[in-house]
Amino acid sequence: ALVAFILQMGAICFVPLRFGFVYTQTVLFAGMSIDQLSLPSEQKNFEYFLWPLVTVMPNNMISWIECTSCTTSWIMKRFGGHVFFDAYMASSYILFYWLCLSKVKNDSYGASKPKKV
């Protein structure tokens, strides 16, 4: 909580308003990346591999597109640039959960089948 408070004060005091979104994205994704990288090696499994591919990397790309072309791209203007980002941000976690759940179900199904000799 103290780190979040310090980062928020840094944003209020030192970051111009037009860079607020970029600053927030940087803090969020840096925090998530540090959290994932600091996991012990025993916890680095399929979910550890899947998390950045489904959530972090696409969200980073979408946020860069939004920051650089939200007001200039006709697609972003017409359909609402931030809507794409918000929709993927929410759906990426659902997709991540679904993929992990599918893997668990497939693993448990494969484990219950008798092995052929």
Side-chain angles (χ1 to χ4, degrees):
L2 181 61
V3 173
F5 176 75
I6 292 169
L7 291 172
Q8 183 61 33
M9 288 297 104
I12 291 170
C13 297
F14 303 110
V15 177
L17 186 58
R18 68 176 181 254
F19 296 128
F21 178 75
V22 177
Y23 178 80
T24 302
Q25 289 300 103
T26 303
V27 169
L28 288 174
F29 286 119
M32 286 189 287
S33 298
I34 291 169
D35 175 61
Q36 292 293 305
L37 290 171
S38 63
L39 287 174
S41 60
E42 301 84 37
Q43 293 181 3
K44 294 181 180 178
N45 49 18
F46 174 75
E47 292 83 8
Y48 174 83
F49 166 75
L50 191 64
W51 174 261
L53 294 177
V54 174
T55 60
V56 177
M57 289 169 47
N59 281 324
N60 275 334
M61 290 187 308
I62 292 170
S63 63
W64 271 101
I65 292 168
E66 181 183 0
C67 290
T68 57
S69 66
C70 191
T71 57
T72 58
S73 168
W74 71 270
I75 293 174
M76 298 295 263
K77 277 188 200 178
R78 185 171 181 188
F79 298 108
H82 200 74
V83 171
F84 289 121
F85 177 76
D86 286 342
Y88 189 79
M89 181 71 92
S91 61
S92 68
Y93 296 107
I94 296 168
L95 177 63
F96 173 74
Y97 178 76
W98 179 78
L99 290 170
C100 291
L101 187 63
S102 296
K103 182 181 182 321
V104 168
K105 285 184 177 179
N106 287 340
D107 288 350
S108 63
Y109 175 73
S112 63
K113 290 173 68 178
K115 294 182 181 179
K116 294 182 180 181
V117 184

